[in-house]
Each structure stands twice: as structure tokens, then as C-alpha cells.
């Protein structure tokens, strides 16, 4: 099998290529096997992924190396929020994430934290008032009147865009890294992190973790910001 996959030469051939598409892989194998059928190419891609030599980063898009999916650490506050929301709103979509996570990627670190709870649009107001019953520091995003640093330890309630990429970390509904990156790049409450800093955040995130480009751009399109995100990705790859 290893001979058919030609792993060593494959890694050398694509060693300097950040994004590999299906056409690249097809051309690589057809150089030595012109009649290789498509199912065989797909099988080899599957085996390369299974062995950790290749990772899928979008539809028909790949990178060398094993996939490393971002899994946010869960703290006690997030657990309390989850239990509370599940009890009061068992059927709505929502997710939560902490601003302090950008310290994993940013050049300029922050010494404060804000918790974000993104709730489907029709339930935002209800979730806001309900959270205020349980937690002392809760703010609706439209009521922000200063920089986020003035709201240390607050819960900020925001509307969740439909089809936003969310995940479950254990029992906690959390934002995916793709969602966090797009929000940081385009939402007005994150303006202090935009400009040159957002390029550093994207670059570091893409170096450390597997980013699904299709998911990233699809979510950006839902916010009418696809071109802005494509620009960030393109510049980071130059």
C-alpha cells in the first residue's frame, strides 16, 4: 500500500504548497500512471488522510499533515451558562465562546475576558433577560457603549446568524474556530482587533489548526463579507 501511495515522494512534491486541490493530486499520480482511474485516486486520498499524511481543509482542498481541530477549553462559567440555557431554552440554537481565546493567536494580548452567547435571532431578547436573572453582568450587543475592555467578565448576548458553524465541546455548544475568525474580522464590536492585527490572528490560527476554508467562506457569505475574508486569506498565503 505504501508503494502505491508513494508517501515520501508525495510529501516532497507538495512540501512547499500550502493548499493542494484534487487536480494537483490527480496530475501527480497521472505523471507515473496515466490511466489511473478516479476511484483509485479517491481511495489514495482517503488512505493518506487516514494515515495522518494529509488533511481535508475544504471541498476538494487539502494540506499536508494530520488534522488538528480547535477544541476550546471549557471553564466553570461556560458550564453554568450551558446548564441554564438548556433548562430554559431547550429547543433554540445558540453557542458561546470567550474572547480570551484570541490570546492563542494575537500579537497583542488582552488582559480581560468577555463571554459571548450567540442566540438565534428570535430568542435573543428572551435569552438576554433570562441570563440577567442568573448572572449579574449581562449586556446586549446593541447596547455596548464603549470598548470591550470596559466589560470584563460580562456576558454579551448577540444574534446567531442562521447556518453559523457551531459545534459541541463535550456537552457545551461552542463556536467553531471558523466562526470566531469571521466574527473577529467583520463584526463592529471587534473593531480594535481588525486592521493589521486580524491578519496576525488568521495567520497564527491557520498555522496551529486545521481551518475548513469552505466553512469559513460560507459563513462569511452569510454575513455578506465573503470578499473581505478571501482577501485576508489571500494576503496571508503570499
Amino acid at each position: 500500500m505504501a508503494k502505491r501511495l508513494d508517501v515520501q515522494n508525495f510529501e516532497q512534491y507538495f512540501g512547499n504548497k500550502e493548499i493542494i486541490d484534487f487536480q494537483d493530486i490527480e496530475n501527480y499520480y497521472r505523471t507515473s500512471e496515466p490511466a489511473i482511474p478516479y476511484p483509485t485516486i479517491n481511495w489514495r486520498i482517503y488512505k493518506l488522510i487516514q494515515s495522518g499524511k494529509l488533511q481535508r481543509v475544504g471541498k476538494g482542498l487539502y494540506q499536508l499533515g494530520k488534522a488538528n481541530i480547535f477544541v476550546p477549553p471549557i471553564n466553570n462559567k461556560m458550564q453554568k451558562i450551558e446548564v441554564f440555557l438548556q433548562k430554559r431554552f431547550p429547543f433554540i440554537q445558540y453557542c458561546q465562546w470567550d474572547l480570551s481565546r484570541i490570546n492563542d493567536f494575537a500579537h497583542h494580548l488582552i488582559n480581560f475576558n468577555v463571554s459571548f452567547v450567540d442566540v438565534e435571532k428570535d430568542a435573543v431578547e428572551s435569552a438576554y433577560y433570562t441570563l440577567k436573572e442568573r448572572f449579574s453582568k449581562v449586556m446586549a450587543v446593541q447596547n455596548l457603549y464603549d470598548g470591550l475592555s470596559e466589560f470584563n467578565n460580562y456576558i454579551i448576548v448577540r444574534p446567531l446568524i442562521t447556518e453559523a458553524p457551531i459545534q459541541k465541546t463535550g456537552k457545551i455548544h461552542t463556536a467553531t474556530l471558523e466562526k470566531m475568525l469571521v466574527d473577529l474580522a467583520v463584526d463592529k464590536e471587534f473593531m480594535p482587533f481588525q486592521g493589521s492585527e486580524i491578519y496576525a490572528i488568521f495567520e497564527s490560527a491557520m498555522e496551529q489548526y486545521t481551518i475548513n476554508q469552505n466553512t469559513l467562506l460560507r459563513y462569511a457569505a452569510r454575513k455578506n463579507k465573503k470578499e473581505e475574508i478571501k482577501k485576508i486569506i489571500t494576503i496571508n498565503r503570499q
Side-chain angles (χ1 to χ4, degrees):
M1 182 180 74
K3 184 177 180 180
R4 292 195 296 271
L5 294 179
D6 195 18
V7 173
Q8 185 174 356
N9 287 333
F10 185 94
E11 290 177 325
Q12 290 178 351
Y13 184 86
F14 290 112
N16 295 322
K17 192 170 179 62
E18 185 171 354
I19 298 295
I20 307 164
D21 62 26
F22 181 86
Q23 188 68 57
D24 295 327
I25 297 174
E26 179 188 357
N27 292 341
Y28 171 79
Y29 283 121
R30 289 199 187 283
T31 300
S32 56
E33 303 173 74
I36 185 173
Y38 284 107
T40 300
I41 298 173
N42 285 324
W43 178 85
R44 292 183 183 181
I45 291 173
Y46 169 78
K47 298 305 292 185
L48 287 166
I49 292 172
Q50 290 295 106
S51 64
K53 303 300 182 182
L54 197 67
Q55 57 181 298
R56 183 177 284 106
V57 295
K59 186 176 181 180
L61 301 175
Y62 309 90
Q63 286 181 327
L64 290 178
K66 187 176 182 179
N68 185 22
I69 305 301
F70 175 75
V71 179
I74 302 300
N75 56 41
N76 186 54
K77 186 176 183 180
M78 294 175 76
Q79 291 175 337
K80 290 180 178 178
I81 292 172
E82 181 73 25
V83 170
F84 193 68
L85 289 177
Q86 274 293 301
K87 182 178 179 180
R88 303 293 289 270
F89 303 100
F91 303 113
I92 68 168
Q93 271 204 322
Y94 63 88
C95 71
Q96 52 176 312
W97 57 286
D98 280 353
L99 185 65
S100 62
R101 294 276 59 81
I102 70 168
N103 282 341
D104 297 337
F105 314 117
H107 284 173
H108 300 94
L109 306 184
I110 60 173
N111 60 0
F112 64 95
N113 189 34
V114 178
S115 301
F116 294 100
V117 176
D118 295 354
V119 183
E120 63 180 68
K121 186 177 180 180
D122 291 342
V124 169
E125 186 175 358
S126 296
Y128 165 70
Y129 285 110
T130 300
L131 286 167
K132 282 180 71 69
E133 296 173 11
R134 174 64 178 81
F135 301 93
S136 60
K137 295 182 176 181
V138 183
M139 177 72 70
V141 67
Q142 66 269 23
N143 294 333
L144 289 177
Y145 53 82
D146 214 334
L148 288 173
S149 61
E150 301 300 317
F151 296 93
N152 187 30
N153 293 323
Y154 266 77
I155 298 170
I156 307 296
V157 183
R158 311 190 314 152
L160 180 69
I161 300 296
T162 55
E163 300 181 30
I166 62 178
Q167 62 188 355
K168 285 194 76 173
T169 304
K171 296 182 179 180
I172 313 299
H173 293 81
T174 60
T176 63
L177 184 53
E178 289 86 356
K179 181 184 186 307
M180 291 170 55
L181 289 173
V182 172
D183 288 353
L184 286 167
V186 304
D187 290 351
K188 63 180 182 180
E189 55 266 32
F190 303 116
M191 194 172 295
F193 306 104
Q194 294 163 9
S196 61
E197 184 69 17
I198 198 63
Y199 291 91
I201 291 172
F202 265 71
E203 181 179 15
S204 181
M206 295 172 77
E207 287 176 352
Q208 295 181 55
Y209 296 100
T210 301
I211 306 294
N212 189 303
Q213 181 173 304
N214 292 85
T215 300
L216 192 78
L217 294 176
R218 186 165 56 249
Y219 178 55
R222 297 292 298 170
K223 297 168 77 78
N224 296 316
K225 297 293 183 179
K226 185 175 180 178
E227 294 306 313
E228 288 88 331
I229 300 302
K230 284 177 70 174
K231 178 182 177 183
I232 295 173
I233 294 172
T234 301
I235 291 177
N236 275 334
R237 286 176 177 160
Q238 290 177 348

